[in-house]
Amino acid sequence: FLYFPETHGISFRIQITVKELLDTDVLLKLLFHLPVSYPSTVPDISVNSDQLTRAQCMDVKDKLLEQAKKHLSEPMVHDLILWIQQHLKDVIKESATVCSEKTTSSKGTSAEDGIWMLLLHLDHMRAKAKYVKTVEKWASDLRLTGRLMFMGKIILILLQGDRSSIKDYLILQKTCKVDVDSSGKKCKEKMMSVLCETEVQSQHKRFQTFEVKEYSTLKEVQKEFETAGLKTLFSEFVPPLLK
């Protein structure tokens, strides 16, 4: 899927299957974001796979970025895809040998590897059913949990997950044609506000699933936030939306 935002470059997703790796086929889901300055700068890359661990996906991403630096100033995405198809087995083997060393040294202290939270406000949804289905699919693909909340005219998206997946979600939300305009033509989300993007703290409770919920009162929304240990987040960002 290829998207052309006006000022943020190009974002697209590619799925490739690497055959006969570790006695199974591995489906790699790659998200490339090419900045306006590409190919003078390397693309942002995200890697997901149901057959690989998060650590292995991070190693694949690091190796792809290493390769990308060797191709500066020339188109590189096709070469990167060919390279990972040929070398994935070696990357996974290398990842396994250093895995225990990484876990003992880092202990998950890196902010990049931590669990993050994102709160978005949408102004409206004209094609609501299609829009909701798209958000649900993105959350599922990126293994994000949380809520899509409707209360009167207020629409909020609250997400939790790996920071890289949160970033990928934002790219998709900003660059994909998710709604329709007043004339019924497909359009991108241009009236979205990022209310909060922060690391999940110990007092916050993790959502186990992603759910779409409708609320009839602000009290019900408040209870949803408070149940997740997000009382401060609610009071700081949600009531002002009613003014």
Side-chain angles (χ1 to χ4, degrees):
F1 303 93
L2 190 57
Y3 308 104
F4 294 84
E6 290 79 0
T7 56
H8 300 288
I10 299 172
S11 297
F12 56 92
R13 308 179 71 178
I14 294 173
Q15 294 192 15
I16 60 171
T17 301
V18 182
K19 296 284 186 182
E20 298 174 7
L21 178 68
L22 307 175
D23 300 321
T24 185
D25 291 350
V26 173
L27 178 65
L28 280 183
K29 301 170 187 176
L30 306 174
L31 177 67
F32 290 91
H33 174 62
L34 311 186
V36 177
S37 53
Y38 172 86
S40 298
T41 54
V42 298
D44 290 325
I45 304 172
S46 173
V47 179
N48 281 290
S49 174
D50 292 338
Q51 290 80 36
L52 302 180
T53 66
R54 187 161 66 94
Q56 288 172 329
C57 288
M58 290 296 290
D59 286 334
V60 171
K61 172 184 171 179
D62 290 343
K63 292 295 184 185
L64 283 172
L65 288 173
E66 280 179 24
Q67 290 300 312
K69 289 172 184 174
K70 298 177 183 178
H71 293 276
L72 280 176
S73 300
E74 60 185 59
M76 64 185 77
V77 172
H78 182 64
D79 289 333
L80 294 178
I81 292 169
L82 290 178
W83 186 89
I84 199 58
Q85 285 178 313
Q86 294 166 5
H87 295 90
L88 182 61
K89 192 170 185 177
D90 297 327
V91 174
I92 299 308
K93 198 177 291 183
E94 184 181 331
S95 175
T97 60
V98 297
C99 184
S100 57
E101 184 183 325
K102 272 189 178 177
T103 27
T104 51
S105 62
S106 68
K107 301 251 179 187
T109 53
S110 165
E112 190 66 32
D113 290 339
I115 300 301
W116 280 63
M117 179 167 55
L118 179 69
L119 181 62
L120 303 175
H121 173 237
L122 304 182
D123 185 75
H124 62 272
M125 287 182 180
R126 283 196 175 92
K128 183 177 176 180
K130 179 180 176 296
Y131 203 134
V132 167
K133 193 173 181 181
T134 300
V135 171
E136 287 180 309
K137 184 178 188 312
W138 288 343
S140 174
D141 288 348
L142 294 169
R143 299 181 187 177
L144 297 171
T145 60
R147 300 286 184 268
L148 170 53
M149 298 180 271
F150 295 92
M151 200 283 300
K153 291 185 177 181
I154 293 179
I155 306 170
L156 298 170
I157 301 176
L158 179 60
L159 298 170
Q160 292 177 344
D162 296 344
R163 191 177 188 189
S164 60
S165 296
I166 292 286
K167 287 180 177 178
D168 292 345
Y169 181 91
L170 269 175
I171 291 172
L172 291 168
Q173 183 77 59
K174 290 175 180 176
T175 59
C176 297
K177 291 184 176 180
V178 289
D179 207 0
V180 296
D181 61 19
S182 55
S183 61
K185 290 183 180 178
K186 290 181 180 179
C187 66
K188 297 168 192 169
E189 179 57 71
K190 294 181 179 178
M191 300 185 73
M192 176 191 76
S193 304
V194 178
L195 300 180
C196 181
E197 185 180 357
T198 184
E199 192 167 11
V200 170
Q201 304 301 315
S202 57
Q203 69 269 25
H204 301 150
K205 294 179 183 173
R206 292 289 309 279
F207 290 107
Q208 298 303 309
T209 58
F210 181 82
E211 297 177 28
V212 180
K213 300 185 81 170
E214 306 236 5
Y215 309 85
S216 53
T217 66
L218 192 63
K219 277 280 185 190
E220 292 176 2
V221 179
Q222 184 175 354
K223 186 178 178 183
E224 184 79 74
F225 275 79
E226 290 180 352
T227 301
L230 301 173
K231 184 177 181 179
T232 304
L233 189 72
F234 170 84
S235 57
E236 186 173 350
F237 295 106
V238 181
L241 298 174
L242 293 170
K243 295 176 182 176

